[in-house]
């Protein structure tokens, strides 16, 4: 019995390590064996065995030129089988493209994932100077228009969990932060000016389901010299029209 339990724990540990290796590619398109080992905090020999298995199964591909690994086609096959009918990243894309074409700035869609916000879709501006918004990027919930919308429209239990995390993990004035969230809830939108990145500003609104629960934050972002306070006031009604259409789409 003891041996069986040890074998089960070893199998679970191997599975967790393999998943950690795959998740390391959220931060880079290509990684060397050394870089993977550093990311998952494992010895290179252990990582090599796991990487070999993932490569044999088609989840990783090794470049002949760079000797680095990247995600394999098996990941694409799995993604192709995801249910896209009710996936906001798929469902909202046409409206996001239309909004981008109308306003000219980058449009992104964010959700809360743990104690971070995750960009699940983006349509980048076609202007020469633009806000680059890679899908899969993770950002803190402490700053940014999208973060404020996501937290402001979360339920009380989720908010308390987030507040406790911010209090212990990040240097943040919770009193001021909560005042900002109250303002966001009152106004129905959030703005940010160089809160997370110098030279950028953003405008964000909530997308909610039929029960009024927050699904995502729909956000416009761009260079602060173009996306000024005055410009944000001008495009707010346009963003809110998109918000209404997406909310109705969720209700269908």
């Amino acid at each position: 019995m003891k041996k069986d339990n040890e074998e089960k724990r070893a199998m679970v540990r191997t599975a967790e390590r393999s998943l950690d290796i795959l998740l390391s590619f959220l931060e880079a398109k290509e990684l060397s064996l050394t870089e993977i080992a550093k990311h998952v905090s494992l010895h290179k020999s252990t990582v090599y065995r796991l990487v070999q298995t993932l490569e044999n199964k088609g989840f990783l591909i090794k470049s002949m030129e760079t000797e680095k690994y990247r995600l394999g086609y098996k990941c694409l096959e799995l993604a192709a089988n995801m249910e896209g009918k009710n996936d906001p990243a798929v469902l909202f894309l046409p409206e996001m493209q239309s909004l981008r074409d109308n306003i000219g700035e980058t449009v992104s869609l964010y959700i809360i994932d743990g104690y971070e916000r995750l960009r699940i879709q983006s349509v980048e501006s076609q202007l020469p100077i633009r806000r680059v918004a890679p899908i899969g990027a993770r950002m803190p919930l402490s700053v940014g228009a999208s973060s404020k919308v996501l937290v402001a429209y979360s339920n009380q239990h989720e908010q308390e969990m987030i507040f406790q995390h911010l209090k212990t993990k990040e240097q943040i004035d919770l009193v001021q932060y909560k005042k900002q969230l109250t303002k966001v809830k009152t106004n129905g939108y959030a703005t940010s000016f160089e809160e997370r990145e110098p030279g950028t500003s953003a405008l964000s609104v909530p997308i909610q389901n039929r029960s009024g629960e927050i699904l995502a934050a729909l956000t416009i972002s761009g260079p602060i010299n173009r996306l000024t306070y005055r410009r944000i006031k001008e495009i707010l009604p346009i963003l809110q029209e998109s918000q209404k259409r997406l909310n109705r789409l969720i209700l269908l």
Side-chain angles (χ1 to χ4, degrees):
M1 181 66 70
K2 183 178 179 181
K3 184 178 180 181
D4 290 342
N5 289 337
E6 289 177 351
E7 289 179 351
K8 288 179 181 178
R9 283 196 293 269
M11 290 175 65
V12 170
R13 188 163 60 249
T14 298
E16 288 178 342
R17 288 173 171 177
S18 297
L19 290 172
D20 286 339
I21 288 173
L22 292 176
L23 289 172
S24 66
F25 287 88
L26 287 172
E27 299 181 8
K29 291 184 178 180
E30 282 193 338
L31 292 169
S32 66
L33 189 66
T34 301
E35 289 169 334
I36 296 172
K38 183 178 180 180
H39 190 277
V40 298
S41 301
L42 292 173
H43 195 276
K44 279 180 65 175
S45 60
T46 301
V47 171
Y48 177 75
R49 291 194 297 271
L50 295 171
V51 164
Q52 286 291 100
T53 300
L54 291 169
E55 186 179 9
N56 291 337
K57 293 291 185 180
F59 289 97
L60 291 178
I61 297 175
K62 187 177 182 180
S63 170
M64 299 297 290
E65 296 179 359
T66 64
E67 294 291 309
K68 289 188 174 185
Y69 294 89
R70 65 179 187 272
L71 292 177
Y73 296 113
K74 190 64 67 176
C75 295
L76 289 176
E77 291 178 35
L78 289 175
N81 285 327
M82 287 180 64
E83 176 58 60
K85 183 179 178 181
N86 297 313
D87 181 0
V90 177
L91 198 61
F92 295 172
L93 184 57
E95 179 64 34
M96 292 174 66
Q97 290 171 330
S98 177
L99 182 61
R100 186 274 313 274
D101 294 342
N102 192 356
I103 292 175
E105 302 294 351
T106 295
V107 180
S108 299
L109 193 69
Y110 294 90
I111 62 169
I112 284 184
D113 187 30
Y115 295 111
E116 298 173 305
R117 60 178 159 112
L118 173 67
R119 186 184 291 119
I120 62 171
Q121 187 59 278
S122 72
V123 183
E124 290 188 4
S125 169
Q126 295 177 328
L127 297 172
I129 300 175
R130 60 185 181 271
R131 174 76 167 82
V132 177
I135 296 172
R138 292 176 176 272
M139 283 145 278
L141 289 173
S142 54
V143 292
S146 306
S147 293
K148 285 182 280 190
V149 161
L150 290 170
V151 179
Y153 283 84
S154 294
N155 63 49
Q156 185 175 355
H157 174 70
E158 290 172 336
Q159 284 186 348
E160 289 303 323
M161 296 282 287
I162 292 168
F163 294 155
Q164 186 61 37
H165 174 80
L166 294 177
K167 183 179 179 181
T168 56
K169 298 294 184 181
E170 298 187 35
Q171 294 182 344
I172 182 173
D173 184 343
L174 274 180
V175 174
Q176 184 62 32
Y177 182 67
K178 290 178 181 180
K179 286 182 179 179
Q180 291 179 353
L181 298 183
T182 300
K183 184 178 179 181
V184 169
K185 200 72 180 289
T186 300
N187 293 338
Y189 65 89
T191 60
S192 64
F193 298 89
E194 298 188 298
E195 287 187 13
R196 198 183 69 83
E197 291 182 32
T200 63
S201 55
L203 170 65
S204 184
V205 295
I207 305 300
Q208 297 164 281
N209 64 17
R210 63 183 68 232
S211 301
E213 299 170 327
I214 181 76
L215 282 180
L218 180 66
T219 305
I220 297 169
S221 59
I224 197 169
N225 63 334
R226 198 165 62 222
L227 199 57
T228 61
Y229 180 82
R230 182 175 180 177
R231 176 60 176 159
I232 280 178
K233 286 296 184 182
E234 290 174 351
I235 65 177
L236 175 59
I238 301 173
L239 177 61
Q240 289 173 326
E241 285 302 314
S242 285
Q243 176 192 26
K244 291 177 184 177
R245 285 191 286 270
L246 293 181
N247 281 335
R248 287 197 296 268
L249 193 61
I250 289 296
L251 298 178
L252 295 178

